[in-house]
Amino acid sequence: MSAFSPALSETLRIRFGDRFSTSRALREQHGRGESHHTPAIPDAVVFAETTEDVAEIVRLCAAEDVPVIAFGAGTSLEGHLTAVRGGVSIDLSRMSQIVRVSAEDLDCTVEAGVSREQLNTYLRDMGLFFPIDPGANASIGGMAATRASGTNAVRYGTMRENVLSLTVVLPSGQVIRTGGRARKSSAGYDLTRLFVGSEGTLGIITEVTLRLYGLPETISAALCSFESVEQAVNAAIAVVQLGIPVARMELMDRGLIAAVNAYSNLSLEIEDTLAFEFHGFPAGVQEQVDMVKAIVEENGGKDFEWANAAEERNRLWKARHNAFYAVVSQRQNAKGWSSDVCVPVSQLSNCILKTRELLRDCSVPAAILGHVGDGNYHVVFAVDPTNQVELDEVAAINKKMVQHAISVGGTSTGEHGVGTGKIGYLRGEYGDAVDLMAVIKNAIDPTGIMNPGKVLPG
């Protein structure tokens, strides 16, 4: 457990004043994410406002081997925020400055606590946007730490492709910069990619330099329904294989459509559904639309419905982003258990059908959804966190789904990250490479104070 002492508590209180707290309610808030994972609360919470604040907190904690856990918006789904050894939660939400924007270079630098929606609101009048959209209004630092992606990844990539450099506080309290603003470099090890996706286990990200994109001149969206999930997935695969540059291509099974209708007051046809969004110049968008419509019809799709007005599109994507809460809302006092895998696109139909079969006799509400353009799909369960029989049932389904994804060349998590929830699958996915990960972890964080109990087994 944590070595958090009265002396360290008093030092932090003197240094940070009312930005330091041991309030039970605040600690409970910082010891959990959005999902079913059992909370584990930190000993204290400190609100950082600068990189130097973070460095000072880390130095003080490192001197006493006290764990530190970075906290952004609290939207994680795999137990990333649980303080399994106690320690100090460093809340970065007040680090919300947009440091600079270069419209000419299509990049910007932001503090870690800047939210995705905050950044895009700021950029809109410049004709720019940041496309990575995991659904939740997550912090940019958290998105980098978990290598987030989301609905636009099929066209714009993930955080891995869109982070140019980072400012990181190491376990010693040293502050480093992992790169510059150049779009490519052959100099030295790629430290940026090392920290993107490290989930706070190697250091705390305090600033992020990002790629930006021009707002599309034309945006068009469409929905189409299918009689079977196999038809929908086959249509999605055909769109990918033909190289049509759709901006979004989302699968929502009929169970999710029913839940979303009830939660978001919609009246969508309750069938397996694909939702598309197209970006570009008018002629290019029309060409994409015509090609996708033909593919959809060839695969049994029907009712190709448009949502061209911004208000209609926003309502559609808000409903999709609320899918997690829509499923959970079907039961009183339920918690969400959301799992995700990513597989080669050629294996997508097989994997989703196998998952559908696993869910056939599931005793709790569940739905399949996914960013099928890049082979990533999710299952959301509404579970009673006090019912161990239920939790064991869902864990067994989740295990079979993940193991099958890995067996066909996929990954245990396409975007949620490992946290505590997927640790058990890492060696099955990477084999002895996990030992090299442990060597890196031990070299950078020899005392193991950075978000312990996450990512690596043991």
Side-chain angles (χ1 to χ4, degrees):
M1 290 302 292
S2 170
F4 190 77
S5 65
L8 177 59
S9 177
E10 186 61 19
T11 299
L12 290 169
R13 187 182 305 280
I14 291 170
R15 169 61 182 83
F16 293 99
D18 61 6
R19 291 192 282 140
F20 168 84
S21 177
T22 55
S23 154
R24 176 81 186 188
L26 191 63
R27 290 188 295 128
E28 287 180 348
Q29 176 192 337
H30 284 73
R32 62 175 184 264
E34 291 277 6
S35 65
H36 71 287
H37 294 284
T38 303
I41 67 174
D43 296 298
V45 177
V46 184
F47 290 85
E49 294 181 347
T50 65
T51 294
E52 183 49 43
D53 280 352
V54 177
E56 186 172 359
I57 297 164
V58 170
R59 283 193 291 268
L60 290 168
C61 290
E64 299 195 27
D65 291 339
V66 171
V68 289
I69 306 102
F71 185 98
T75 57
S76 71
L77 294 171
E78 288 291 0
H80 302 87
L81 302 175
T82 54
V84 296
R85 280 177 40 203
V88 174
S89 175
I90 304 178
D91 189 311
L92 305 173
S93 61
R94 298 185 186 180
M95 294 184 64
S96 57
Q97 297 300 308
I98 296 170
V99 178
R100 56 154 206 95
V101 175
S102 173
E104 296 83 1
D105 295 311
L106 292 175
D107 69 19
C108 70
T109 299
V110 302
E111 291 183 329
V114 170
S115 73
R116 175 183 63 82
E117 291 180 4
Q118 175 194 351
L119 177 58
N120 277 322
T121 298
Y122 184 89
L123 295 172
R124 189 175 298 126
D125 289 342
M126 302 179 194
L128 302 172
F129 82 122
F130 179 64
I132 309 306
D133 180 2
N137 188 25
S139 68
I140 298 296
M143 288 168 63
T146 55
R147 202 185 299 131
S149 54
T151 57
N152 283 323
V154 63
R155 177 158 181 167
Y156 297 100
T158 71
M159 290 298 283
R160 180 182 64 187
E161 290 80 36
N162 288 283
V163 173
L164 294 172
S165 65
L166 301 166
T167 298
V168 181
V169 176
L170 297 180
S172 63
Q174 180 185 4
V175 179
I176 66 166
R177 186 81 175 165
T178 66
R181 292 171 54 205
R183 290 305 173 104
K184 61 181 181 179
S185 171
S186 296
Y189 300 138
D190 191 346
L191 296 179
T192 302
R193 301 298 171 272
L194 177 63
F195 285 97
V196 171
S198 64
E199 302 182 20
T201 62
L202 301 178
I204 295 178
I205 296 167
T206 60
E207 283 190 1
V208 188
T209 297
L210 299 164
R211 296 174 183 262
L212 301 177
Y213 298 80
L215 282 169
E217 181 178 337
T218 299
I219 301 176
S220 184
L223 280 175
C224 55
S225 56
F226 298 82
E227 292 182 0
S228 73
V229 72
E230 185 175 16
Q231 288 178 322
V233 173
N234 287 340
I237 292 171
V239 170
V240 173
Q241 291 175 338
L242 285 175
I244 303 170
V246 293
R248 300 185 186 187
M249 182 163 55
E250 295 291 298
L251 171 71
M252 297 179 280
D253 80 350
R254 61 191 61 208
L256 179 61
I257 294 294
V260 163
N261 277 349
Y263 186 80
S264 298
N265 193 29
L266 297 175
S267 55
L268 302 175
E269 189 75 23
I270 301 178
E271 291 196 289
D272 299 309
T273 299
L274 285 179
F276 298 94
E277 190 166 277
F278 309 92
H279 293 179
F281 295 106
V285 167
Q286 188 59 54
E287 182 180 21
Q288 294 173 42
V289 167
D290 291 343
M291 294 174 69
V292 168
K293 186 175 182 181
I295 291 169
V296 164
E297 290 173 351
E298 287 172 9
N299 285 275
K302 55 188 179 180
D303 301 326
F304 206 75
E305 296 182 10
W306 298 101
N308 288 330
E311 184 178 344
E312 294 175 8
R313 290 198 314 272
N314 291 339
R315 191 177 184 207
L316 166 63
W317 293 118
K318 184 176 182 181
R320 162 60 184 86
H321 290 333
N322 285 336
F324 178 86
Y325 305 106
V327 174
V328 176
S329 70
Q330 295 177 98
R331 299 180 70 186
Q332 285 191 340
N333 302 317
K335 293 290 286 184
W337 179 322
S338 181
S339 183
D340 82 306
V341 296
C342 190
V343 298
V345 171
S346 63
Q347 296 293 324
L348 187 61
S349 181
N350 156 49
C351 289
I352 289 182
L353 289 175
K354 184 173 180 63
T355 300
R356 171 66 69 86
E357 190 64 31
L358 290 171
L359 296 178
R360 192 174 303 280
D361 297 320
C362 182
S363 66
V364 306
I368 299 173
L369 59 150
H371 321 310
V372 287
D374 51 18
N376 183 203
Y377 71 95
H378 311 248
V379 178
V380 180
F381 302 88
V383 298
D384 176 354
T386 67
N387 187 327
Q388 192 59 49
V389 172
E390 239 178 59
L391 295 174
D392 290 344
E393 177 191 4
V394 173
I397 293 171
N398 181 55
K399 182 176 182 179
K400 290 176 182 177
M401 182 179 81
V402 172
Q403 289 180 333
H404 183 68
I406 292 172
S407 74
V408 299
T411 176
S412 60
T413 173
E415 59 185 17
H416 291 177
V418 175
T420 59
K422 294 286 180 69
I423 285 180
Y425 305 108
L426 206 64
R427 189 167 291 276
E429 183 172 339
Y430 287 110
D432 290 344
V434 172
D435 298 329
L436 179 58
M437 295 181 196
V439 169
I440 294 169
K441 165 71 171 173
N442 290 333
I444 296 174
D445 182 22
T447 58
I449 66 166
M450 305 302 292
N451 205 11
K454 318 298 162 54
V455 181
L456 294 175

